Amino acid sequence: MTVKLLSDNPIIGIDLGTTNSCAAVVDETGKVQLIPYKDGSFTIPSIYAVNDRGFELIGQEAKRQWQLNPRNTIYAAKRLIGRSPSDDIVDAMRESVAFNLTPGGENEVLIECADRQFRPVDVSAQILNKIRVVASDYLRLPVRRAVVTVPAYFNDRQRQAVKEAGMLIDLDVVRVINEPTAAALAYGLNKSFSGNILIYDLGGGTFDVSVVSVRAGNIFEVKSTGGDIFLGGIDFDNVLIRAVLRDFVEKHAIDLADDPVAMQRIRDMAERVKIDLSSRAEASFNLPFVTIDQSGLPLNIDMRLTRRDLDTLMAPLVNRTLDICERVLAESGLRAEELDEILLIGGQTRMPHVQDRLTAFFGKAPAKGINPDEAVAIGAALYAQTLQEDSPVKLQLLDVIPMAIGIERADGQMHVVFPRNSPTPNAKSLITTTSRDGQTSLCMRIYQGDQARARQNELLGEFLFSGIPPAKARSPKVQLTFQVNIEGVLSMSAQDLATGKRMETRVKIGAK
Ligand code: AMP
């Protein structure tokens, strides 16, 4: 079947997920078509690998050989995108992945794979390229433009990195939009829906929650957003893995944590058992010949788990998501009774315990009939359609900044320019001056995060404004203007108010 499109230069929607990605496009009749991948599946594993013969594998092929080749199989690279080597999340990743992570230039993390070093953005570019190839083959035309979704919690640096990933493969990332916002679009766009939606997005790597107010099916206003970048399905797997390792130590006094091949098998099985327990009350965790004992005899993992066991293990993680829901709801200014729908996004929301706890928490069951793996790509495609030349669909999208953006003051505190949940697009100006006689330039460090001390937040970059005519300290007046566009991407401009001299720049990604 060939999908007929209105344009031969379409903009497709891409959900670039931590574990799986998905793409969709709006056809000439205005219907969303998901791009099929293999075996009727609409998701592409976000995995990149190099096999023993030096061949690159991406998607299903990479996933298939993962167990045999864990060191050269890169997954969850999205968790590393736009992150500094010193970031806590990089340490956490180091403990749970078989590939090596090393510090690189530009304050980036490098991933080692097959004696080569990849930046996370290179891996994302490869995955985007695979999606593009699959989409181009299916649509039978070259795909050059896309709307790509990101977690609402992504900071400016991470958003820019996704755009860079597109640039590396000549894919124009026309817009990045937030995943929960895309899900709200999938639910409400063109459906004359008005009301308040809470989107609970628990995917492979991150947790996001947003409250969106929809009016007349085409005005989408995000009221508040929040999340936890350390919380996703992988963490659920890790909790189960730790329980299995503990059990094995108790039974055999052997710690399997240092055995990468055994760990890979345990990781795979943990995810399988976790998923099994979403549809069954009991499952067995069996791995034969996982290691050998001192006398050379093979040892097996042989456990039985009930859904209740799993729920008990995972309850603390679910509690963390509910605490965040409570805060984000309070920040939206709405009460739980004012929510018309709870939307679930992300594979981990298939766990019945998650759904039960949400029903109890909000006093209402989550919406049915929306596929948590596909809704984000569908929303991205719908949004892409509104950006297409001559689009008949009108949409007004008002999003928010997920974490405060500000500059470092002389005393090291954060001077907040945009508080968290400020609407986008947005602009703010402030007047600053020099601190020394004859000073001709000003250097500004820009951070994003909600901590009071600037350095505890993510450094977005450095901004240098030079060309101030020499004068006494504190007499020049420089006006700084910060702009955050609809994508949540920051740019700055500065103007010397005495000379009118203007300088515009983007924040340099990853400046030290
Ligand atoms: P996503 O990033 O949205 O594709 O979510 C992937 C995560 O969802 C992975 O951690 C999966 O293990 C998890 N997942 C997928 N299906 C299920 C299921 N039926 N029950 C529990 N977790 C699931």
Side-chain angles (χ1 to χ4, degrees), residues 18-20 202-205 233-234 237 271 274-275 278 346-348 350-351 372-373:
T18 307
T19 38
N20 290 301
L202 190 57
I234 292 173
D237 300 346
E271 187 180 16
K274 176 190 77 173
I275 292 176
S278 287
Q348 190 59 51
R350 290 212 163 92
M351 184 179 187
D373 301 323

Side-chain angles (χ1 to χ4, degrees), residues 156-176:
D156 175 80
R157 196 179 158 193
Q158 294 168 305
R159 285 164 200 268
Q160 302 232 29
V162 170
K163 299 202 94 166
E164 189 194 342
M167 237 147 26
L168 289 173
I169 55 154
D170 228 358
L171 177 75
D172 181 8
V173 177
V174 186
R175 276 290 149 85
V176 292

Side-chain angles (χ1 to χ4, degrees), residues 180 198-202 207-210 236 317-318 321-322 325 342-346 348-349 354 358 362:
L198 180 137
I199 300 110
Y200 178 102
D201 179 355
L202 190 57
F207 172 62
D208 263 357
V209 55
S210 295
F236 283 63
L317 293 179
V318 181
T321 69
L322 295 179
C325 286
I342 317 290
L343 296 191
L344 301 186
I345 306 298
Q348 190 59 51
T349 61
V354 171
L358 282 170
F362 290 110

Side-chain angles (χ1 to χ4, degrees), residues 472-492:
K472 276 206 129 0
R474 282 175 290 282
S475 63
K477 285 196 170 49
V478 178
Q479 183 179 48
L480 300 175
T481 304
F482 298 76
Q483 275 184 308
V484 179
N485 70 8
I486 189 151
E487 301 176 289
V489 171
L490 177 71
S491 61
M492 281 185 69

